[in-house]
Every structure is written in C-alpha cells, then in structure tokens.
Amino acid sequence: MADISIQKIVKSFEVGKNVLDGLSFDVSEGEHIGILGSNGAGKTTLFRILTGQLRADEGEVIIAPGKRIGLISQIPVYPADYTAEDVLKTAHERVYRLGDELRRIESEMAKGGEGDALRRYDAVLSEYERLGGYELDRYRNTVANGLGIPQRQREQLFDSLSGGEKTRINLARLILEDTDILLLDEPTNHLDMNAAEWLEDYVRKFKGTVLAISHDRYFLDATAQRTIEISDGKAEFYSGNYSFFVEEKARRTEERMRRYEKEQSEIKRLTEAADKLHLWAFMGNDKLHKRAFSIEKRIEKLNAERPKIEKKLTNRFGEKKFLGDEVCVISGVSKAYGEKRLFSDLELTVIPGERIAIVGDNGTGKSTLLKILMNEARADSGLCRMGSAVKAAYLPQIIRFSNPERSMLDTLIYEENCTPQSARNRLGAFKFSGEKVFTPVSQLSGGEQSRLRLCMLMKDDINLLLLDEPTNHLDIQSREWIEEALDDYDETLIFVSHDRYFISRFATRVWEIEGGKLTDYRCSFERYKELKVSEAARAVIGQRRDKEEKPKAKKTRPASSQKQIAKIEREIAALEAELAETERQSEEHSSDYSKLMELDDKREGIEKRLEEKLLLWEELNAELE
C-alpha cells in the first residue's frame, strides 16, 4: 500500500521554467528513501508541496488516510516565553491533555461521583497508558540526550537559540511526535558525529515511512533502501542506497553514451546515403529523392540528445615536496576559555604524508586547535613548531574576503595577481562561468564562498593543508570535486570534519577531543570506530566493578569462583570482538539492504548476550563480597 502517491506534479516559479515537470512516483508504507539532486533541482519544493505549504500548478499528491506527516526543515513559531523544553513538550500535547482529564475525573470521584466517572476514568487511563503517559519524561530525555541537547539548553528560551540549535530541538520534537511519515531535509546539518549516528540508528529502526534529502552520504548509505534522483523536473529511480546509486548511475550514463555514439554513427551513415541519393536524383532519377526523404525521416527519429555528464574538477592542489622528518611538533600546548578546559599538555608530532582527522562534539576545541597550528590563536601554554620547509594553506570554517563587494573575477585578479583570462579559467574549473563570475562575493552562498576560497588555495605549491569543515554547505557534487582534488594530493593533511564519508575516505590518523582531553588514534576511521565500541563495552564493565567495590577488605575468592569469573570475562571480550566485527561487516555491506538487516539482527543478539554476561559477572562478584 502506498503511503504517498505523487502524480504528474508540475511547479514553476518563473514563466517557461518548470522546477518540477510532471514528477511522478509512489512511496510504499515503511519505505526509507533518499532524495538526491543538485541545488535548485526542486527537492525542498517537493517537500513543501507534500506538507501543503505550496500548491502544485498541476498534478496531485495523495497521502494515505490517517497518516501524519512531520517535516524537519520547517521550524514553527512558538510563544516568546517558551523554553526549548516547552517546545519539546508540545510533541505530547494530546497526552498531557489526557493527564489533565485524569486529574479532573479523580477530583470528581473524590467528591463522591463514582458511577459514570469511574467508567470514564478507566477509558482515559487506558488511552493515557497506550500513548506512554508514564514514560514521557524518560522518552524525552532519551531523545534529547541522543541528539546532544544538554539540560542547560533545554532551559533556555527557544527564541534565544541559534538556527542550528533550533533545528536540533525541532528534530527532537518531530521524533517525539512519533509521526507516520518523516520528511527530513538535511537532518544532520547541525549535528555532531555522535548525534548524527544516534539519528541514523533511530531512522534505520523507524517502522514508518521516511523521505530524506541529504548531502550526508554516510547517512544515506546507512538509512536509504531506495534512492530517487530529481533532475530536469523528473524522477529517476535506483533500488539501493547512495553507494548503489553512484555505481548504477555511472553504469547507466556509460550505457546511454554508448547508445548515443552508436546512433551518431548510424546518423552519419544514413546522412551520407541520403546525400548520395539526392545527388543521383539530380542526374535524372527523381524517384531517388523520395528514398532520400524517407532516410532523412529515419535520421530525425534517431537524433537523440547527448547524455549529460557532470563536469569534473579540473584544478588540483599544487604540491611542494617536503624534505624532513617532522612537519609539525606540538609540545605542552594547553587552551581554555574561562573555566572551560579544551585540552592540556598536548604532545604530538606530525610526519610527512599523514592525513589527520580531528573529531569531537561541537565546542570541544577542534577549530581552535587548527587556529593555534596556523598561529591565528594563541595557546595558553606550550608551542607549535613547524618544519622549516613547510608551506601551509588553510581553509577556515568561516570564510572571509578582504573586499566582499568585489566580484569573483576581480577577487581572483586582485588577490591572486592573475590575468582576467587565467581568473576565468580557474573559476570555470569550479563551475563559475558566464555572468556568474561578475557576482559580488558578498552575495554568494556559504557553499559558493567555500568553493571560491578553495579555488584560490589551489594555485600554490603547498605541503601542509589544513581544512576546517571543508564540506559544510556543499552539495554532494561539490564535495566530490574536493575529494577528487585531495585524491591527487600526497602531502600532509589535517582537517576538522563531521562528514563521516569524507573522514572515512581520507583519515589515516584520528585525533579525538573529548572532555578536555585529546586521544591520538593512529589508525583509519573504521578502525577508530571499532576501538570506540570496545572502549564503551569495557567502560560498562569498569562501572559495574566500581559499583561493587566496598571500603572493607575483600574476602578471598574461592578458586572455582575465580575461574568462573575469568571464563565470563573471556566470553565478554570475545563478544566485544564479535560486535566490532559485525560493525565492520555493516560498513562493508552498506549497499546491501537485506544483508544490513541480517547484520542488524545479529548485532542485537550479540548485545543481548553481552548484557546477560555482564549481569552474570556482576552477580558472581556480588556473591563473593
């Protein structure tokens, strides 16, 4: 049964140009679909039509009766005195009304009116319990904690929050509403890595229908069962996640190009034949004209349009070969803002060719560390020493230009000291062409400003590249352009990112900043995640041990009990390893939905057995106390 049926939707915002041009597709109940398309393709317009914010010029949208839709991109307006907690509670207004009704009926019953009131009380109580009335606070805390919304933020006025914080609160509210159909428009944009992974897990297990517009390829790989690409106002369908889409789209494009080239060859042959027939007809055989005209009609039918092939980045980062053993030495570096300690006494050495990802929650000091490395911020103590042959380039998170009112073309001419033609060529390589190059820099989007700054960085011969959230605000195609450029860059790279696809592709080493401490993982991102799973499991064991420790002297454990405990600890370690291997296989089979479901069930079974072993371990230790 279809939850959503989209039938021949047409929508335009200017005469003669349809953003959506006869768009049609159905979404089955429980499907999880990724929506792709370049910026301006009409993805958000489609969502606004689905929720009734916009009306289609033609066609219709049919939503299954009784199904509720929730859209994350729209942030409702709330009363000025609402805190973030009040906004979260709006998700359960109906349940709170039932609670008020229960208290009213209880008051009636206390005054002696038990007959009809008791029947009403039972009915209301049954509905209150069905909707989880006694679990609301726990559920709200679980969702808020999972999305990284701290208690202090929940107590703030909603209107005082930043756009990103409001989006996060609204996402939590949407999840708490437990709608039947989720429309997610860039849901991970304002989430750190832990929150994005929590949301990913929630969406993967969500039993309802999901349509997600996202530039987060890791998120799409983990959550989408099917992919729909919107291009030229129409939909093209792919029966898999993002990785499947990439391979299948390349295959289809290659097949269309082969068909096009074959048709062009046939057109050439037929054209030559028709020209000869016309020539022979002039030599006295008029009947040959009719045969030539017939061939020309066949040519018109074969005259197919050349398949569109996305323009690739033609520029590459310049490189200056580094001569030396150390690119950078960080010694005794500490930094704090007031009472908040970001990190202290860092001792790190960067060697040539390393690709280091700096990860951690928002506000932990990742960007600050990059600024200290570039001497744009001062450390409270310690020093960073760059190698004498280092030539560094830096892309900050917030892009600034010396004269924002200059056009893109003039910015390159004046700031890069290049000729107008060279500037045009470089801009064209970044898909800035035609009249676009005369746009003032101040009028560019955040993503366009990032692309322009990267265009300027690529001119230099550099051997240390520092990037702060380089894929922020960029669509998938632009992210892939940057990745193509970095693929050919063999020198040292240090970057801050929440883009797990980007991190997975490039990181050979991970610096994690958490709780005022930097931990150095000399491994890939995948291995880092496996280690984090093992660390979390060991932390649970450690907490249970700490809980059981008593100040009094421990009794000597019987040898049999010691052996049993040792055996259980070995089994726990084996289950941790099995859990890590399951996570690795999930990454390997990210485009195989049925395999992912199988691995997900396997992981739940392992986690259940691990919990049982931990409880048994706890009981045995308790008996020995």
Side-chain angles (χ1 to χ4, degrees), residues 319-334:
E319 292 179 25
K320 180 180 180 181
K321 194 67 179 175
F322 181 78
L323 302 174
D325 297 326
E326 297 173 345
V327 173
C328 176
V329 175
I330 301 170
S331 179
V333 168
S334 300

Side-chain angles (χ1 to χ4, degrees), residues 14-61:
E14 54 183 282
V15 178
K17 186 178 180 181
N18 291 337
V19 176
L20 302 176
D21 190 16
L23 187 73
S24 296
F25 61 88
D26 289 342
V27 180
S28 300
E29 183 178 8
E31 265 198 302
H32 292 184
I33 296 177
I35 307 290
L36 298 180
S38 60
N39 288 339
K43 305 184 296 295
T44 299
T45 298
L46 171 63
F47 273 19
R48 295 177 70 191
I49 290 172
L50 289 175
T51 55
Q53 297 174 53
L54 276 179
R55 292 191 62 177
D57 300 333
E58 298 177 26
E60 65 176 333
V61 170

